[in-house]
Amino acid sequence: MIDENITAADTDAEPGVKLWKFCRDSQMVEWDWATGMPDIQRLSPVRSPASSALSRHIPVQGYSQVAGASLDFESGLEFELMLTLDRLPTTRHLVSQPFRLTWLDGVWHVPDLLSVDSEGEVTVWDARAEDRQDDRFLSVSQRTARACADVGWHFQVFPGLSSRASLNLRWLSGARRRPEWLSTTKDLVRSVVQDGAVIGDVMDGDDSGRHLTASMWHLMWTGQIAVDLNERWTRNTSISWHESTN
């Protein structure tokens, strides 16, 4: 969330960060970076998104498999970002509304999401569609990117997926949980897919319980079965096996 009272002119000359504020162990703290990086596992959101009659967004809540908890978001686009990161095998932790930055001129900003990968790299995210990235947003994003770089973190803007990819991702998110029978069906699915196949090939070889099909959707979520998210999926959609994916 960006301070809605600022103008583009207010962000032209960056005065430097006044403070970082985190919610650690449910207590708001002003962070002193001289003590090192905060323990991200102990962080919680610094604010809870809310809506009003004049709000542009409707708060949503979504379960993150990586975080092992439901996270609060200000929009469906932020939820889409969470699903995108949740699907990456390298994502290790997620925090929504992770901190509040305040600059010396009073401008403040709360990024949408923070992620940590398997190498310990931290990335701070803002979700904003390209057609809504106005001068004010871009200026505050640049400030945030510089503030993150100063402490060894990364910053990225997520503009959203295509409509087709978004729908497909949400469909796959329903198969995030590992099926209890996967240990016995994975090799069967791989034998069908490994030399190149289409979705219908797996469905046609399934039993009455549809265990192979359910396994296929889960393996598509994890990335072990590759599929084009931007394609309209039918029985004739091409899929392939990616052995290197965990």
Side-chain angles (χ1 to χ4, degrees), residues 59-77:
V60 298
Q61 188 177 72
Y63 181 79
S64 166
Q65 190 175 41
V66 168
S70 293
L71 304 179
D72 292 324
F73 302 104
E74 200 168 29
S75 68
L77 187 60

Side-chain angles (χ1 to χ4, degrees), residues 15-20 30-31 101-107:
V17 178
K18 179 181 179 182
L19 64 86
W20 292 70
E30 295 182 8
W31 193 254
L101 277 174
T102 303
W103 286 267
L104 291 172
D105 58 359
V107 173

Side-chain angles (χ1 to χ4, degrees), residues 79-221:
F79 175 69
E80 183 174 288
L81 168 60
M82 181 275 289
L83 288 181
T84 300
L85 295 173
D86 225 36
R87 187 174 179 234
L88 295 178
T90 55
T91 305
R92 293 292 180 266
H93 193 59
L94 296 173
V95 183
S96 61
Q97 315 291 316
F99 57 84
R100 176 174 170 138
L101 277 174
T102 303
W103 286 267
L104 291 172
D105 58 359
V107 173
W108 58 268
H109 178 45
V110 177
D112 297 322
L113 200 64
L114 178 150
S115 65
V116 184
D117 69 14
S118 55
E119 300 297 321
E121 295 290 327
V122 177
T123 302
V124 175
W125 299 84
D126 272 324
R128 182 69 66 104
E130 289 187 2
D131 60 1
R132 295 196 58 244
Q133 294 181 21
D134 56 17
D135 290 342
R136 177 174 55 190
F137 172 80
L138 293 174
S139 295
V140 175
S141 293
Q142 290 169 4
R143 286 189 176 200
T144 305
R146 286 191 287 268
C148 289
D150 287 343
V151 299
W153 289 359
H154 306 286
F155 174 78
Q156 290 193 44
V157 175
F158 176 74
L161 305 175
S162 68
S163 296
R164 180 67 63 190
S166 179
L167 289 172
N168 286 337
L169 180 64
R170 291 170 194 245
W171 169 264
L172 285 185
S173 70
R176 284 183 288 180
R177 179 174 295 180
R178 177 187 172 93
E180 59 185 20
W181 56 80
L182 189 64
S183 59
T184 59
T185 58
K186 182 177 178 179
D187 286 344
L188 292 174
V189 175
R190 177 169 49 194
S191 68
V192 175
V193 176
Q194 63 184 357
D195 294 325
V198 296
I199 288 176
D201 291 334
V202 177
M203 291 181 168
D204 290 342
D206 211 346
D207 57 22
S208 59
R210 313 306 292 172
H211 294 100
L212 294 185
T213 301
S215 298
M216 174 186 68
W217 295 127
H218 175 73
L219 293 169
M220 286 166 67
W221 166 262

